[in-house]
Amino acid sequence: MGVSLYLLILILILFIGMAVLIARSNREDDTYADLETDEWDCPECGFHIQAGDICIYCCEEKHT
């Protein structure tokens, strides 16, 4: 009984350790790093865009 409890605790600690390592390795991949976050008003329809390069209503691209 005692050995199986220690084995279960060891497996649980290893599982938590692997989960932490995987979570830390995925932090470097920023999905939104290339997203344009400047707000702008669409010159075609006047809609206020809060994020992105293209108007979601008329598909006009942001002019810089």
Side-chain angles (χ1 to χ4, degrees):
M1 179 75 180
V3 175
S4 63
L5 181 62
Y6 289 127
L7 184 62
L8 180 64
I9 292 173
L10 179 66
I11 291 172
L12 185 63
I13 289 172
L14 287 174
F15 179 75
I16 292 172
M18 291 297 293
V20 168
L21 286 176
I22 291 170
R24 292 182 112 208
S25 69
N26 288 340
R27 289 188 86 192
E28 297 171 0
D29 300 335
D30 188 8
T31 306
Y32 303 107
D34 60 343
L35 180 65
E36 181 65 41
T37 58
D38 292 335
E39 295 181 359
W40 57 284
D41 291 322
C42 178
E44 191 69 29
C45 68
F47 183 72
H48 183 74
I49 311 298
Q50 294 180 342
D53 296 356
I54 299 174
C55 178
I56 61 172
Y57 288 108
C58 67
C59 298
E60 181 73 20
E61 290 188 14
K62 179 180 177 182
H63 301 285
T64 54

